[in-house]
Every structure is written in C-alpha cells, then in structure tokens.
C-alpha cells in the first residue's frame, strides 16, 4: 500500500512517500518509497485509528430537537429526548442508514444506549460495517438489581448517565458487575453531580470504572483519583459548550497525566466528527502551554480512546509486527505539503469527511 505520509511508531514520526505491507492483518513492512504491486493512496496520510469513545446514537433519529432546551430539559431523566426516542426509535432501518453514512468513518465506537434492548441490534449493524462497537446501557429503573444484570448480559457493559440516581444498596451489585465487564459513567457534567460527589460515590464503593465522561466540574484531587484507579476521562467539548457554556479543565487533566479520550456525545444534536473535538482539546492545551508537542497530544488521545472502550487487540500506533489499525486521510485536502507541523495540521484541519479508507487487520473499508 503506497501512501504520501505515514505517522510511524509510538513517537508518531513522519515518513514521507512510503509503503506499508500488511499480511494476515499484521503490519509486516514499513519503508520509504512506493512499490509497484501495491494499492495506491498517493494523496493519503496513514495515521493510527482513533476511536469515538462516547456517543448517544439513538437520538440521531430526531436531529436538532435539542435547540431551545437546556441540558435537563433535553437530556435529563424527564427531558424531551427520552420520550422522542421511545416514540421514534422502532424505525430500525434508520439506524443502519445513519451508521452507514455518519459512523462508517470510525473503527470503534462507545455508545451509551438509552434502550438496552437495542444493544444486540446495534452491534449487528456495526459489525456489518467493520466497526468495533461497545454498547453501554442502563436499566429503566436504577433501583432494580436484576435489570442491571440483564443489561450486563445483553450489552457490552453498563453506562450510567447519572450516578446520583443509583441507590446505595445497588452499589454492591454494580461493583460485582464491574469486575467482569465494562462500567462507565457520566461525572461532573452538572454542578449537582459534582456537589454530590458522583465520582467518589462510585469509586469508594468498589465500582471499577473503565472510563468517565465529561468532567466539566471536578475538584483538583479528583484528577488524581482517575490516575490512581486507571480511569480514562472522555471529553465531549462541543456538547459542553452547547449545553453549559463551559469546558472541562483539560489542561489540569493533562498536567495530572490523566488518560484523555474524546467523544461526540448526542448524535441528534452534534455532528459526530471526532476531529472537531480533537481540535478543541488541542486548542485548550496550547492556549495554556504553546510548547505542548502535537505528537504527544494525538498519541495520548488515540491511546486513551482505544483503552476507554476496552479494545485490547489493536495498537494505538503503526509499526511492524502489530495488527493494522489505520486511517487513511486525504493529505492534500488539509494541505499537509505546506504544513510546518503535520500532526498539528491533522488535529486542526482534518474532518471525518477527509477519510479515504480505514483498515483493521486484513479488512479495508473504503469511505469514498
């Protein structure tokens, strides 16, 4: 496979005019120069596949219903989104249509589903398009321990939208589930979540969290708690700006060495373009420290995004001897030939619409 550039190795070095040989899904060779018998992507840059670690897929069926509503009014337990999803969500054909057009660009997704009976259906659709799909959902009643077990059986794990609604007597059940499958939660999305101590409520009661989402409101010591318990923080800055006019303290998370991933949140309110979120994260970091290296930012986000959704067999880098996990992006459309910082240009200028193809193992999915 011939490409214009490769983001190579764990240091994210740039190799120009190069080729990649993949055999049985494993990267066998990376070297300078183009070869005659390979597929040609001579205007592409090959980068490690970054995953969308947090979306809500079901509300894509009612786009822009969020306009005119605050966060509780739209996404709260008594908000508009939930009855709309219940009303329209049985249109199963729509979700395949949406996934095949808006989410085909991703090799991996972490989806918080409002209706846990849909977990298997969504996984089947995602598998059809070669997407590693983690479905996380919650019970209809937070006080019903049998429903937690049913969700864990039918889905990829538990996704808790509001930990403050989980009663104390359920925490033992949740802790047991978290030892054998993924449990994730929204934390610090609102002041109420923060003031009631949503993160420590779960962690100190033995719940092993794989990742937490948002973290707009957090105490300084809570970042250290994330590191201590090896929990990924998934930021969704576009959503936070829209609903709260406030962003998480990304720079503090960075300086505390928190694993930092990104998600696009509600698909009915925001275009699920991970590069918009990466651009905002990168901008927040550089505004605090202009000397932060772009390579380190993209490497951390890519590594953490895979970790957040529990994908253990795919690397966060492109290197010989490892399974292929590659995005091919149109280098010409983001003007990489003139860039002073190619990794910086990817984070600032790329869009999912610039993706040409993606490769997982021996499977290539063309996006144009």
């Amino acid at each position: 496979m011939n490409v214009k550039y490769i983001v190579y190795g764990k240091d994210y070095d740039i190799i120009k005019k190069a080729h990649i040989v993949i055999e049985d899904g494993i990267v066998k060779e990376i070297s300078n120069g183009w070869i005659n018998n390979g597929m040609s992507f001579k205007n592409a840059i090959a980068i490690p596949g970054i995953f969308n670690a947090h979306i809500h897929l079901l509300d894509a069926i009612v786009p822009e219903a969020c306009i005119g509503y605050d966060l509780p009014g739209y996404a709260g337990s008594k908000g508009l989104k939930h009855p709309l999803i219940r009303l329209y969500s049985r249109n199963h054909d729509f979700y395949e249509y949406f996934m095949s057009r808006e989410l085909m660009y991703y090799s991996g997704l972490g989806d918080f589903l409002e209706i846990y009976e849909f977990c298997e259906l969504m996984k089947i659709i995602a598998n059809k398009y070669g997407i590693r799909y983690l479905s996380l959902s919650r019970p209809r009643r937070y006080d019903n321990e049998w429903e937690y077990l049913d969700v864990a059986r039918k889905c990829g794990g538990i996704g808790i939208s509001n930990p403050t609604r989980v009663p104390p007597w359920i925490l033992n059940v949740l802790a047991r589930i978290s030892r054998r499958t993924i449990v994730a939660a929204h934390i610090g999305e609102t002041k109420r979540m923060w003031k009631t101590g949503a993160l420590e409520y779960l962690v100190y009661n033995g719940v092993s969290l794989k990742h937490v989402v948002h973290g707009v409101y957090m105490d300084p010591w809570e970042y250290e708690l994330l590191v201590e318990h090896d929990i990924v923080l998934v930021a969704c800055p576009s959503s936070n700006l829209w609903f709260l006019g406030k962003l998480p303290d990304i720079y503090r998370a960075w300086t505390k060495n928190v694993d930092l991933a990104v998600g696009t949140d509600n698909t009915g309110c925001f275009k699920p373009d991970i590069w918009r979120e990466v651009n905002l994260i990168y901008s927040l970091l550089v505004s605090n420290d202009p000397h932060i290296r772009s390579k380190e930012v993209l490497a951390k986000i890519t590594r953490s995004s895979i970790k957040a959704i529990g994908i253990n067999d795919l690397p966060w880098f492109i290197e010989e001897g490892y399974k292929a996990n590659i995005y091919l992006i149109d280098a010409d459309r983001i003007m990489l030939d003139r860039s002073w910082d190619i990794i910086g240009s990817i984070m600032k200028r790329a869009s999912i619409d610039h993706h040409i193809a993606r490769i997982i193992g021996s499977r290539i999915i063309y996006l144009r």
Side-chain angles (χ1 to χ4, degrees):
M1 178 174 64
N2 298 318
V3 293
K4 199 168 194 175
Y5 304 97
I6 299 172
V7 176
Y8 176 75
K10 296 178 182 178
D11 292 329
Y12 280 34
D13 295 324
I14 302 297
I15 303 176
K16 297 182 179 181
K17 193 177 182 181
H19 66 269
I20 305 172
V21 177
I22 300 171
E23 294 179 7
D24 299 322
I26 304 297
V27 176
K28 295 294 184 182
E29 179 186 333
I30 297 174
S31 187
N32 291 105
W34 289 338
I35 54 179
N36 293 326
N37 59 342
M39 294 182 293
S40 181
F41 298 97
K42 294 181 180 179
N43 67 327
I45 181 168
I47 74 166
I50 185 173
F51 293 175
N52 188 336
H54 182 74
I55 64 170
H56 290 268
L57 176 57
L58 294 185
D59 64 352
I61 204 163
V62 282
E64 272 51 73
C66 61
I67 292 177
Y69 291 86
D70 60 9
L71 182 60
Y74 175 64
S77 59
K78 297 180 181 179
L80 175 68
K81 182 176 85 164
H82 300 283
L84 284 177
I85 288 174
R86 288 193 293 271
L87 181 63
Y88 293 112
S89 61
R90 300 298 171 179
N91 183 357
H92 296 166
D93 290 343
F94 170 80
Y95 293 113
E96 178 158 1
Y97 172 87
F98 185 81
M99 195 173 287
S100 66
R101 283 156 177 80
E102 291 288 337
L103 301 178
M104 267 284 287
Y105 301 96
Y106 296 108
S107 294
L109 297 168
D111 187 10
F112 267 47
L113 286 170
E114 287 78 7
I115 301 175
Y116 75 84
E117 291 85 354
F118 280 18
C119 286
E120 187 59 34
L121 169 68
M122 296 303 179
K123 184 176 180 179
I124 290 170
I125 295 173
N127 286 344
K128 181 177 178 180
Y129 296 102
I131 300 170
R132 296 289 188 89
Y133 179 78
L134 173 66
S135 57
L136 299 173
S137 194
R138 63 175 189 264
R140 286 180 293 269
R141 287 183 51 180
Y142 277 90
D143 61 349
N144 187 331
E145 67 176 85
W146 299 109
E147 277 202 36
Y148 283 90
L149 296 171
D150 197 33
V151 173
R153 181 174 59 85
K154 292 180 178 177
C155 301
I158 305 290
I160 304 169
S161 292
N162 187 349
T164 63
R165 296 185 62 199
V166 180
W169 63 87
I170 292 294
L171 291 173
N172 283 336
V173 176
L174 199 55
R176 291 200 305 272
I177 291 172
S178 72
R179 288 193 283 271
R180 63 176 185 269
T181 191
I182 291 176
V183 174
H186 290 189
I187 62 105
E189 187 178 11
T190 64
K191 281 187 177 180
R192 184 173 183 273
M193 268 192 208
W194 168 53
K195 288 180 178 179
T196 53
L199 176 61
E200 55 269 35
Y201 178 59
L202 296 175
V203 170
Y204 290 159
N205 282 285
V207 179
S208 178
L209 294 168
K210 189 71 172 179
H211 69 259
V212 294
V213 187
H214 296 304
V216 177
Y217 299 94
M218 289 182 69
D219 289 313
W221 61 268
E222 289 182 290
Y223 298 97
E224 297 170 6
L225 191 64
L226 295 180
V227 174
E228 179 185 349
H229 291 272
D230 198 25
I231 302 168
V232 177
L233 174 61
V234 182
C236 305
S238 292
S239 175
N240 302 146
L241 278 174
W242 176 268
F243 284 118
L244 304 170
K246 182 175 171 56
L247 290 165
D249 193 339
I250 296 298
Y251 185 64
R252 185 184 293 272
W254 178 269
T255 58
K256 294 289 186 179
N257 203 30
V258 174
D259 286 325
L260 186 65
V262 290
T264 56
D265 210 20
N266 299 93
T267 50
C269 201
F270 312 102
K271 179 178 174 63
D273 189 336
I274 201 71
W275 295 111
R276 292 185 180 187
E277 314 306 319
V278 169
N279 182 24
L280 281 168
I281 295 297
Y282 183 43
S283 299
L284 287 169
L285 290 173
V286 171
S287 68
N288 283 277
D289 180 0
H291 302 294
I292 283 178
R293 298 179 68 210
S294 58
K295 291 180 180 183
E296 294 176 2
V297 176
L298 186 59
K300 170 166 278 196
I301 291 173
T302 304
R303 181 176 65 247
S304 300
S305 72
I306 294 173
K307 179 180 176 180
I309 60 177
I311 305 297
N312 299 318
D313 66 319
L314 292 179
W316 49 271
F317 50 86
I318 303 171
E319 196 171 293
E320 296 93 338
Y322 292 88
K323 193 170 183 177
N325 173 33
I326 300 170
Y327 285 175
L328 298 174
I329 298 178
D330 192 328
D332 293 341
R333 289 185 65 186
I334 51 178
M335 301 184 292
L336 293 191
D337 286 348
R338 304 184 63 83
S339 176
W340 284 27
D341 183 337
I342 285 177
I343 300 296
S345 287
I346 293 170
M347 290 192 289
K348 289 176 64 62
R349 298 180 182 275
S351 161
I352 56 171
D353 299 325
H354 299 146
H355 288 207
I356 299 170
R358 56 182 174 85
I359 302 166
I360 287 189
S362 56
R363 184 174 183 182
I364 182 167
I365 295 95
Y366 294 93
L367 303 171
R368 291 187 184 175

